Amino acid sequence: MASLGINLDHIATVRQARRTVEPDPVQLAILAELGGADGITVHLREDRRHIQDRDVELLRHTLGSRLNLEMAATKEMVATALRVRPHQVTLVPERREEVTTEGGLDVVRQLPVLRQAVEPLQGEGIPVSLFVDAEVDQLIACQASGARWVELHTGAYANTASPAAELARLQAGTRLARALGLRVNAGHGLTYQNVEPVAAIPAMEELNIGHTIVARALAVGLTNAVHQMKALIRNPRQNLLVTEG
Ligand code: PXP
């Protein structure tokens, strides 16, 4: 069964809309854990548009679960991660003008830069995951980077009206990654409607989900929203796409 990482960036987005102290992602992380979160994910962006350095520091000390720090592969961020010591680092591409992370890393082209981030982090015992599209050449490059994990980008699956082909790509990507000795997470754009077939992929270890859970939390509270997502992941209907297709 895949575990569930809750991305709290958009709690911080609401706070930063007023540059105030509420809502506090550090406080709400506790409610996410009560709802069954196996881990908390935050993206400390270069422009600090949502999560702040203080959030990351406090989460590291207060979480009962695991902290997964999403970040760009820059010297500044590597230094931050070495200081904070999250349970995992996920390296993501970052462009200032994007609304959210738009694509996977181009590991093939950026291999030297990524290695410079992976080596010091894993050398200090912090496992690194690379956020990539489920493409053969990218996954082979992930193995070459030395990273132990990949997070498969589920955005294309989430955004298409006929997801069967994209689901097959995620399934094949997971198989290839495992054959290459990589451990596999997935995320981006997953919702209560589309999560089950991804949760049912054998060897999928963790799904990182944010926006849809924060949105549902406005109606039912964060603990309930996490609990509802956890139930779908724990007991996914494997043939959902086929039976409804
Ligand atoms: N995984 C990664 C690497 C991401 O960048 C994001 C979005 O910040 C997520 C997962 C969560 O995506 P969503 O908010 O669409 O669930």
Side-chain angles (χ1 to χ4, degrees):
M1 182 187 76
S3 58
L4 174 59
I6 305 294
N7 182 311
L8 293 179
D9 292 353
H10 294 312
I11 305 278
T13 300
V14 176
R15 176 188 63 192
Q16 297 311 113
R18 289 293 177 91
R19 304 239 187 308
T20 176
V21 295
E22 63 181 5
D24 185 346
V26 180
Q27 290 177 1
L28 289 172
I30 293 166
L31 298 184
E33 288 180 332
L34 283 176
D38 299 293
I40 299 295
T41 296
V42 291
H43 185 175
L44 187 63
R45 279 183 169 268
E46 183 200 4
D47 63 12
R48 305 297 197 266
R49 71 174 68 158
H50 39 51
I51 293 294
Q52 306 297 306
D53 295 70
R54 157 273 184 207
D55 302 329
V56 180
E57 302 268 0
L58 286 175
L59 284 168
R60 181 64 185 89
H61 293 295
T62 54
L63 286 184
S65 64
R66 302 187 303 266
L67 176 63
N68 174 29
L69 178 61
E70 277 182 28
M71 57 182 233
T74 63
K75 277 191 181 155
E76 180 218 340
M77 289 309 310
V78 170
T80 298
L82 288 172
R83 194 181 66 250
V84 174
R85 300 196 61 81
H87 297 88
Q88 180 165 62
V89 161
T90 301
L91 296 176
V92 299
E94 222 177 86
R95 286 192 299 123
R96 230 167 230 273
E97 61 277 19
E98 69 193 358
V99 176
T100 180
T101 314
E102 281 170 359
L105 288 163
D106 188 345
V107 187
V108 175
R109 288 181 58 187
Q110 296 178 330
L111 196 51
V113 174
L114 291 168
R115 274 201 182 122
Q116 279 174 21
V118 170
E119 277 169 17
L121 290 166
Q122 291 195 162
E124 286 296 318
I126 303 169
V128 177
S129 178
L130 302 183
F131 183 55
V132 283
D133 295 316
E135 291 173 6
V136 173
D137 55 345
Q138 294 296 343
L139 291 168
I140 290 171
C142 286
Q143 185 198 38
S145 78
R148 301 217 185 90
W149 294 75
V150 290
E151 178 174 332
L152 298 182
H153 187 347
T154 50
Y157 162 80
N159 290 331
T160 177
S162 38
E166 291 299 336
L167 179 63
R169 194 196 298 268
L170 292 169
Q171 291 165 332
T174 304
R175 281 195 299 273
L176 174 60
R178 293 299 300 135
L180 291 166
L182 297 161
R183 297 176 70 177
V184 185
N185 300 329
H188 208 281
L190 295 175
T191 66
Y192 294 86
Q193 289 72 39
N194 67 22
V195 73
E196 289 170 88
V198 180
I201 295 175
M204 182 60 69
E205 294 205 39
E206 183 158 279
L207 301 181
N208 283 312
I209 308 180
H211 186 265
T212 197
I213 291 174
V214 173
R216 185 166 291 208
L218 293 175
V220 303
L222 187 58
T223 306
N224 284 332
V226 172
H227 188 70
Q228 290 171 9
M229 181 60 81
K230 182 95 178 177
L232 293 174
I233 291 176
R234 187 179 290 147
N235 198 11
R237 290 169 288 168
Q238 310 219 7
N239 297 320
L240 199 59
L241 278 180
V242 180
T243 51
E244 292 183 0

